[in-house]
Amino acid sequence: MMIDNVLQVAKPKARVFPWGTSRPYNAYKDYLKSRFGGRLQKVSVDAGFTCPNRDGSKAFGGCTYCNNASFVPPYCKPGMSIAQQVEAGVEYLSRRYKAEKFVVYFQAYSNTYAPLEYLQGIYAQALAHPRVLGLVIGTRPDCVDPAKLAYFEELAKKYYISLEYGLESIHDATLERINRGHDFREWAEAVEMTAGRGIHVCAHVILGLPGETREQMLQTAQVISRYPIDSLKIHHLHIVKKTVLAAEYQRQPFLVFGYSEYISLVIEFIRRLRPDIYLQRLVGETHPRNLVAPVWGVRASTVQRHIEEEMLRRGVWQGEKAGAGAG
Ligand code: SF4
């Protein structure tokens, strides 16, 4: 798909926003810079978890868009312990990006889906590396409980601890359609139970899920802004190979975002978000060899830059429509 003229930008005007930068949204990377004095490089590890939405305790088959195989980093080999993966990852990323400070990212599947004693063992291996400052843990609302959260609260006194809860949409009909295996209320309860403990709370949403209107997507921005999340990852729906969604798409193709259409929508979404929510991602990214659609032919960093430039060109910023309607 060609990138059209939404990207014809005028030179942006310099202006400082309430979060202290000239970026028209509150970027997580700026927050990390001010808190840690620079970038925190994520070392992804594969702890061999599964997910209650796959193993049958909640459902079989998983979320229709999910392909965790696309998360396996190049330095992870089968059979490596967490300590070995962290060692290999730190070494690889130090060479590649000259990174100095690290957090260990438990990304694939549901990384709190095990008894607490087992979790304590694997997290301790990750935190034992002298250059690791904390953990980022991707999980589901139905895989945390008060005992696990009390443990994370203790860890958070010494380390940076971030829990990432996938939500994707506030609309239960959508969550059912994509087979999330939980509803909005469960997500909201997990977030409220996690907040106030010194744990960084991150949410994920996906824009463009099948059956959702633009207004419904914008409602997601308004509703999640009422919950105590610290940061947000926004993804566009990208259809990844070897997923239920890819099979649905091949059987009967449905509309996916054009490039400028997504940029316009995500800008409206950002305008409706609470201004103190740090934005970690503005677009999804998968390796081109795993991607079915939409194929834009641009890297996520380029999309992110185009969004930023377009917001400045339009004179809009994060939070200026927080509390407004979806229209
Ligand atoms: S909850 Fe996460 S790991 Fe489980 S099926 Fe859904 S996206 Fe995949």
Side-chain angles (χ1 to χ4, degrees), residues 51 53-54 62-63 65-66 68 109-110 140 180:
C51 163
N53 205 21
R54 289 183 163 274
C63 306
Y65 54 84
C66 171
N68 276 280
Y109 298 102
S110 299
R140 291 169 50 90
R180 267 301 291 176

Side-chain angles (χ1 to χ4, degrees), residues 31-319:
Y31 157 71
L32 290 182
K33 201 167 168 192
S34 67
R35 177 164 171 185
F36 297 102
R39 183 162 184 218
L40 280 190
Q41 182 71 46
K42 281 183 181 150
V43 183
S44 292
V45 293
D46 180 356
F49 285 105
T50 178
C51 163
N53 205 21
R54 289 183 163 274
D55 70 5
S57 60
K58 260 291 167 71
F60 289 106
C63 306
T64 59
Y65 54 84
C66 171
N67 175 355
N68 276 280
S70 55
F71 295 149
V72 179
Y75 46 82
C76 281
K77 304 278 178 293
M80 285 169 100
S81 68
I82 295 298
Q84 288 168 328
Q85 291 181 51
V86 172
E87 186 65 45
V90 166
E91 210 264 320
Y92 174 86
L93 296 163
S94 304
R95 249 187 301 116
R96 185 154 183 184
Y97 300 114
K98 306 214 180 326
E100 290 174 1
K101 297 172 184 170
F102 298 86
V103 285
V104 176
Y105 190 17
F106 289 83
Q107 182 179 18
Y109 298 102
S110 299
N111 292 278
T112 58
Y113 185 38
L116 179 57
E117 299 67 42
Y118 177 80
L119 297 176
Q120 287 169 326
I122 60 165
Y123 300 147
Q125 286 186 51
L127 291 169
H129 194 288
R131 290 168 75 188
V132 167
L133 303 188
L135 306 176
V136 177
I137 299 167
T139 192
R140 291 169 50 90
D142 49 11
C143 292
V144 290
D145 58 40
K148 288 176 187 168
L149 292 175
Y151 166 68
F152 288 127
E153 185 174 358
E154 273 311 299
L155 282 185
K157 291 177 182 158
K158 193 164 167 208
Y159 300 101
Y160 173 71
I161 303 293
S162 173
L163 287 190
E164 295 189 354
Y165 293 116
L167 170 64
E168 320 318 346
S169 167
I170 60 151
H171 301 285
D172 285 344
T174 306
L175 298 182
E176 204 166 310
R177 181 162 176 177
I178 61 173
N179 197 37
R180 267 301 291 176
H182 67 75
D183 59 16
F184 175 70
R185 186 187 49 79
E186 281 177 278
W187 176 88
E189 284 172 2
V191 164
E192 283 179 335
M193 200 165 47
T194 310
R197 295 172 181 263
I199 301 165
H200 189 98
V201 183
C202 174
H204 287 202
V205 294
I206 300 177
L207 302 182
L209 287 167
E212 285 211 344
T213 63
R214 180 181 184 279
E215 284 64 36
Q216 285 177 308
M217 295 175 221
L218 297 179
Q219 277 167 5
T220 291
Q222 294 165 312
V223 172
I224 58 169
S225 291
R226 295 183 205 135
Y227 287 84
I229 59 171
D230 299 296
S231 64
L232 180 66
K233 290 182 173 175
I234 308 169
H235 295 240
H236 70 299
L237 181 70
H238 52 285
I239 301 167
V240 178
K241 287 179 186 164
K242 297 188 184 156
T243 60
V244 175
L245 200 63
E248 276 175 27
Y249 185 76
Q250 260 135 20
R251 256 195 327 272
Q252 184 154 21
F254 45 84
L255 277 180
V256 290
F257 285 121
Y259 189 74
S260 51
E261 185 189 12
Y262 179 68
I263 289 194
S264 290
L265 176 72
V266 78
I267 288 173
E268 289 309 307
F269 190 93
I270 293 168
R271 292 173 81 189
R272 286 161 176 79
L273 285 174
R274 225 175 58 222
D276 64 329
I277 297 174
Y278 304 115
L279 300 189
Q280 294 205 32
R281 294 193 69 94
L282 304 182
V283 66
E285 186 169 39
T286 196
H287 194 285
R289 72 168 169 257
N290 293 324
L291 184 63
V292 176
V295 178
W296 295 336
V298 265
R299 299 291 311 265
S301 53
T302 307
V303 183
Q304 201 136 322
R305 182 168 50 79
H306 286 159
I307 292 167
E308 194 172 322
E309 289 172 352
E310 182 63 10
M311 288 180 81
L312 290 171
R313 190 186 71 80
R314 294 186 190 184
V316 300
W317 60 90
Q318 180 180 341

